Amino acid sequence: MWAHVLLWTPIALTVAGVVLGLGLFAAADADPTYSSSALGYLGLVVWGGLAVLSPVLLGSFIAGLVMLIRTRS
């Protein structure tokens, strides 16, 4: 069970972060007022967080993949 958690959690977090960042960029681009520029910066912060956490997410994914392969063999 832990193999599936380690395998699918980084995938879900990455997809959610990318979708959230794109949604924030789209919301910032749709409204031409100055108050929406904060949404674009927040999108950059989300993507920066993904960039910083990418080694941890990749390590978790690889560990889950190795565990899953070992349990199947």
Side-chain angles (χ1 to χ4, degrees):
M1 180 175 139
W2 283 108
H4 290 289
V5 171
L6 287 174
L7 188 68
W8 288 104
T9 301
I11 293 172
L13 288 175
T14 304
V15 168
V18 169
V19 169
L20 179 64
L22 287 175
L24 288 169
F25 290 148
D29 191 43
D31 189 15
T33 63
Y34 293 114
S35 62
S36 67
S37 64
L39 295 175
Y41 289 118
L42 189 58
L44 287 174
V45 167
V46 169
W47 279 18
L50 280 176
V52 169
L53 289 177
S54 64
V56 174
L57 294 173
L58 185 62
S60 173
F61 178 78
I62 291 172
L65 195 60
V66 168
M67 286 173 69
L68 194 64
I69 289 171
R70 285 185 181 174
T71 56
R72 289 188 182 187
S73 64

